[in-house]
Amino acid sequence: MGIIHINKLKPGMVLDQEVRDINGRLLLKIDKEIQSSHIRIFKIWGITEVNIRGNNGNKNPSTGPADPELIEKIKENTQDLFRHADLEHPALKEIFRISVLFRCQHNFPENDKNISLAVADTGEATVEKDFLQKLQKETITLPEIPSIVFELNEVIANPLSSAEDIAQVVHRSPSLTALLLKIVNSPFYGFPSKIDKISLAVTLIGTREISGLALGISLISLFNNIPKEILSMHSFLRHSLACGIISRVLAAHKSLPQTEQLFVSGLLHDLGRLILYSYFPEESRNLLSRARSTDTLLYLQENDYLGCNHTHLIKHLLQLWKLPMVLENNVFFHHSPLEAQQPVPATLVHLADIITNGLGIGTSGERFVPPLDHAAWENLGLSPTCFDVVTKQATHQFFALESMLDV
Ligand SMILES: [Fe+2]
Ligand SMILES: [Fe+2]
C-alpha cells in the first residue's frame, strides 16, 4: 500500500482506498483497477494523490532532510509540542507521525518565533477576571460587520435573485472579487478551466458556498492591527486558513453536505484571540508570557487569567453580528465539542485545530498541540488512516491559497 502522485498513476494499478472529490463525491471505489479515463477524471476534479495497492506506491512520500540528526531533532521538538496530547491514542499517534514528516519536509519555523515573549510576566498582580463583562458592557467598540455581508445574504435569500444579481453585490468590493476568483481558480475547487466571472463562480459552486467564503474573508480581514510585538498577523492568518481548509477536507471525508460552513468555522475558530490581541495588548502580552513561563496551554491560561477564553469572546462577537447559529456551534465549542448541539461538525474543527498545530502551519499564540477529546473522537467514527490523505489534500490546497493572505 502507498500513496502516489497523480502524475505517476498508471492504468492497471489497483486502488487501496476509495477516491473522493473535495465535496465528498465518490469518484472511484476501493479495489477498482484504474483505467486511463479514471486518471483523466481525477485530474479534472483536482485529486493530487491516491492510495495504491501493492508495491507500486511509495510507502513514505516524505523524503525529508537527509541528515538523521536533524530528523531526530525535529522529532524531539515535535514531541515536546505534543506534551499535552496523549501520544498513546491512535489518532494522536498518527497526527504526530504526519506532523514530524511534514516538519521535516517543510522545515517550518518554530511557532515560538512568531509569538512575542519580550514582556516578562509581572506575577499575580494583574488578573483580569472581569474581562468578558468589559466586552459585554460595550466599554470597547468592536468592529461592525461589513455591510457587503448583509447585502449578500439579502440577495441570496431572495429566490428571484440570479447569479448575475449576486455577482453585482460582490463586485462592489474589488478585493473580495479578486479573492473569490483566486479561490475558485485554485485546487481548492479543482475546476479544469479558468473562471473569470463571479456570476460563473456562483453558478458553479453555489450561492451558499459563495456567501460562506465572502463571510469568512470579510470577517477575518476586519482585524489586521495586531501589534507586531505580540504576534505575527501573517502567522495567525496561516493558522486560521489551514484550520479552515483541514476542517473542510475532513468534512468531505465524513461526507457532510455543508463543507463551506466547516471552512468558515475553521477560518474563524480563533478569532476571539484577535479581539484580545487587538484591544487588550498589555493583557495579551502578560497572558502569552504566563503560558510560556508555565508551559501550559494558552486557552487554559486564558481561563485562569481572564476568567474566560477566546471561545467566549468570539461567541459574543458572533451573537453581536447575528451570524448563523451553526458558526457559533462549531466555533464556540472547538475546545469542548461534545458540549455542542451538533457535536460532529464541532469535533471536525477541534480535530483540524489539533492537526494544524501539529503541522506547525502558523500559530494563533498557542505553543502546544491542544489535547484531543477522546469521547468526541469515538463519536466521530473516523479512522486515523484518513489523516495521511486528508493532510496531503489540505496542505496542497493551503499552499495554492496561501498567497491570498498577502492581498
Ligand atoms: Fe482555539
Ligand atoms: Fe487554533
Side-chain angles (χ1 to χ4, degrees):
M1 183 181 82
I3 289 171
I4 68 166
H5 193 271
I6 192 79
N7 289 342
K8 296 200 172 138
L9 207 55
K10 291 192 174 58
M13 289 177 167
V14 176
L15 275 187
D16 204 30
Q17 186 172 26
E18 64 186 22
V19 178
R20 289 179 182 272
D21 74 0
I22 188 58
N23 292 314
R25 181 173 29 188
L26 184 65
L27 298 180
L28 195 60
K29 284 185 183 166
I30 186 170
D31 296 330
K32 289 281 176 197
E33 191 177 303
I34 292 169
Q35 316 288 328
S36 3
S37 56
H38 296 136
I39 301 176
R40 219 169 31 246
I41 289 167
F42 293 164
K43 284 184 179 172
I44 287 172
W45 289 104
I47 307 296
T48 53
E49 284 143 331
V50 294
N51 218 333
I52 290 298
R53 181 157 305 160
N55 298 321
N56 293 317
N58 177 7
K59 274 178 191 278
N60 180 9
S62 164
T63 47
D67 180 358
E69 252 181 59
L70 187 57
I71 296 174
E72 207 39 53
K73 197 167 181 308
I74 290 174
K75 201 171 170 183
E76 255 174 50
N77 285 345
T78 313
Q79 201 144 17
D80 186 46
L81 299 174
F82 275 75
R83 68 163 70 185
H84 296 287
D86 175 12
L87 279 177
E88 294 300 309
H89 190 285
L92 285 165
K93 209 181 246 183
E94 178 64 356
I95 294 172
F96 173 75
R97 184 189 72 79
I98 292 168
S99 298
V100 172
L101 288 177
F102 187 79
R103 285 166 182 264
C104 287
Q105 280 178 317
H106 296 276
N107 199 19
F108 272 6
E110 287 302 307
N111 281 346
D112 277 5
K113 286 182 189 161
N114 296 305
I115 307 171
S116 165
L117 303 166
V119 178
D121 182 25
T122 49
E124 299 302 316
T126 48
V127 176
E128 288 281 341
K129 291 283 186 193
D130 62 341
F131 195 80
L132 196 57
Q133 282 100 316
K134 260 192 202 174
L135 273 184
Q136 282 162 345
K137 283 181 190 153
E138 294 178 21
T139 44
I140 63 162
T141 313
L142 289 166
E144 282 181 19
I145 192 162
S147 60
I148 194 157
V149 172
F150 285 123
E151 289 170 35
L152 206 52
N153 283 344
E154 218 165 276
V155 73
I156 284 169
N158 182 349
L160 297 176
S161 296
S162 65
E164 198 55 54
D165 296 330
I166 295 164
Q168 267 184 21
V169 176
V170 173
H171 282 150
R172 270 180 233 152
S173 165
S175 56
L176 183 61
T177 305
L179 276 177
L180 282 177
L181 286 177
K182 196 180 253 188
I183 292 174
V184 294
N185 280 300
S186 74
F188 196 58
Y189 288 102
F191 291 120
S193 53
K194 192 168 161 51
I195 297 156
D196 53 4
K197 280 189 183 146
I198 290 290
S199 54
L200 182 57
V202 174
T203 311
L204 285 172
I205 69 175
T207 50
R208 281 186 19 185
E209 192 94 3
I210 282 286
S211 68
L213 285 174
L215 177 72
I217 293 166
S218 307
L219 295 191
I220 205 97
S221 59
L222 283 180
F223 298 89
N224 53 5
N225 56 344
I226 305 180
K228 274 199 188 76
E229 70 274 13
I230 293 182
L231 185 75
S232 146
M233 185 68 194
H234 185 73
S235 186
F236 187 95
L237 290 175
R238 283 169 67 86
H239 176 78
S240 307
L241 182 63
C243 186
I245 294 173
I246 296 171
S247 300
R248 188 180 196 269
V249 176
L250 283 169
H253 274 258
K254 268 300 288 176
S255 303
L256 294 191
Q258 288 107 14
T259 54
E260 101 284 354
Q261 284 176 353
L262 265 298
F263 173 66
V264 180
S265 303
L267 196 63
L268 301 180
H269 78 287
D270 276 340
L271 198 65
R273 287 205 171 123
L274 280 192
I275 303 175
L276 195 61
Y277 300 150
S278 305
Y279 290 89
F280 302 93
E282 205 181 316
E283 287 88 343
S284 300
R285 270 191 284 268
N286 276 340
L287 181 71
L288 289 167
S289 181
R290 273 166 178 256
R292 167 69 193 219
S293 60
T294 53
D295 280 338
T296 45
L297 289 156
L298 186 59
Y299 76 96
L300 297 181
Q301 196 58 236
E302 287 168 358
N303 285 334
D304 272 3
Y305 183 54
L306 307 172
C308 65
N309 65 49
H310 60 288
T311 62
H312 299 96
L313 304 184
I314 185 63
K315 184 182 181 185
H316 174 69
L317 202 58
L318 294 177
Q319 285 175 347
L320 196 73
W321 286 339
K322 300 186 175 58
L323 290 179
M325 283 299 286
V326 62
L327 281 183
E328 199 180 309
N329 180 85
N330 301 349
V331 171
F332 181 57
F333 295 103
H334 76 266
H335 287 293
S336 52
L338 277 189
E339 290 170 28
Q341 216 167 14
Q342 294 179 51
V344 167
T347 305
L348 293 180
V349 180
H350 171 71
L351 198 53
D353 186 37
I354 290 171
I355 296 173
T356 308
N357 278 292
L359 298 178
I361 307 181
T363 176
S364 68
E366 180 64 83
R367 273 176 75 208
F368 299 111
V369 174
L372 174 74
D373 185 322
H374 291 198
W377 166 258
E378 293 300 324
N379 180 55
L380 192 60
L382 274 180
S383 157
T385 51
C386 79
F387 291 147
D388 212 1
V389 173
V390 164
T391 310
K392 286 194 173 78
Q393 278 185 345
T395 51
H396 176 70
Q397 292 172 16
F398 173 81
F399 289 122
L401 278 181
E402 197 188 7
S403 62
M404 79 176 234
L405 301 177
D406 297 323
V407 174

